[in-house]
Amino acid sequence: MSAADDGANRSLGQLVAQATTELSALVHDEIALAKAELRQDARRLGIGGGAIAAAGVLALFSLPVLSFAAAYGIHSTGLGLAWSFLITGGAYLVIAAILGLLAIAKFKKIKKPEKSIASAKETAAVLGTVKPHPRPVADTSRTDASVTRSSV
């Protein structure tokens, strides 16, 4: 049995049900593709977010260290202890800057789900060109006496 014969033997309800099923499957496939593309970017987002959080924590930790360095610098009689605290505080700031740059690099690698967008546009283009099935033209020249027409 050919596909044309199969379509001719099915009722309108069966055709609508099949179209609904196929459209539903298409939407589910589009969503699955988008999820697969976004999963990879979510991992990059997590790494970048963790690096930003670590940079913020280290920058926050550098403030007490720098404060202690200033206090010990004033209190100490030699430069050795104060300079060591200043170097430690500076090292925290350098590490925070490196982590911040790492986070920015990870965020720049995040991309749009291009395959999903292209597939959705292609589907919309195909569905936009679909025309309804042509119906046979009814003979409107004769009027049926049993049909009452409303005057409204």
Side-chain angles (χ1 to χ4, degrees):
M1 181 183 278
S2 70
D5 291 339
D6 188 37
N9 293 333
R10 291 186 290 175
S11 70
L12 179 62
Q14 290 171 331
L15 292 173
V16 170
Q18 182 184 3
T20 303
T21 302
E22 289 177 4
L23 189 60
S24 176
L26 179 65
V27 169
H28 285 292
D29 290 345
E30 294 288 338
I31 291 171
L33 177 62
K35 282 181 181 180
E37 284 185 311
L38 292 176
R39 217 174 268 128
Q40 181 180 8
D41 286 338
R43 185 173 54 238
R44 287 183 183 143
L45 182 66
I47 292 170
I52 284 286
V57 166
L58 288 177
L60 187 63
F61 286 167
S62 70
L63 294 177
V65 171
L66 292 174
S67 297
F68 278 117
Y72 276 115
I74 294 169
H75 182 64
S76 70
T77 57
L79 295 175
L81 185 61
W83 281 107
S84 67
F85 275 111
L86 285 173
I87 290 171
T88 303
Y92 278 122
L93 288 177
V94 167
I95 291 170
I98 291 171
L99 287 174
L101 292 174
L102 174 70
I104 290 171
K106 290 293 181 184
F107 288 145
K108 285 184 178 180
K109 288 184 179 179
I110 295 175
K111 302 174 191 169
K112 301 186 283 188
E114 294 171 359
K115 292 178 185 175
S116 297
I117 292 170
S119 178
K121 285 181 181 180
E122 182 181 325
T123 301
V126 168
L127 291 177
T129 61
V130 173
K131 295 181 181 176
H133 189 278
R135 296 185 181 146
V137 179
D139 185 16
T140 58
S141 61
R142 63 182 189 125
T143 58
D144 191 1
S146 65
V147 177
T148 48
R149 303 196 182 261
S150 173
S151 61
V152 179

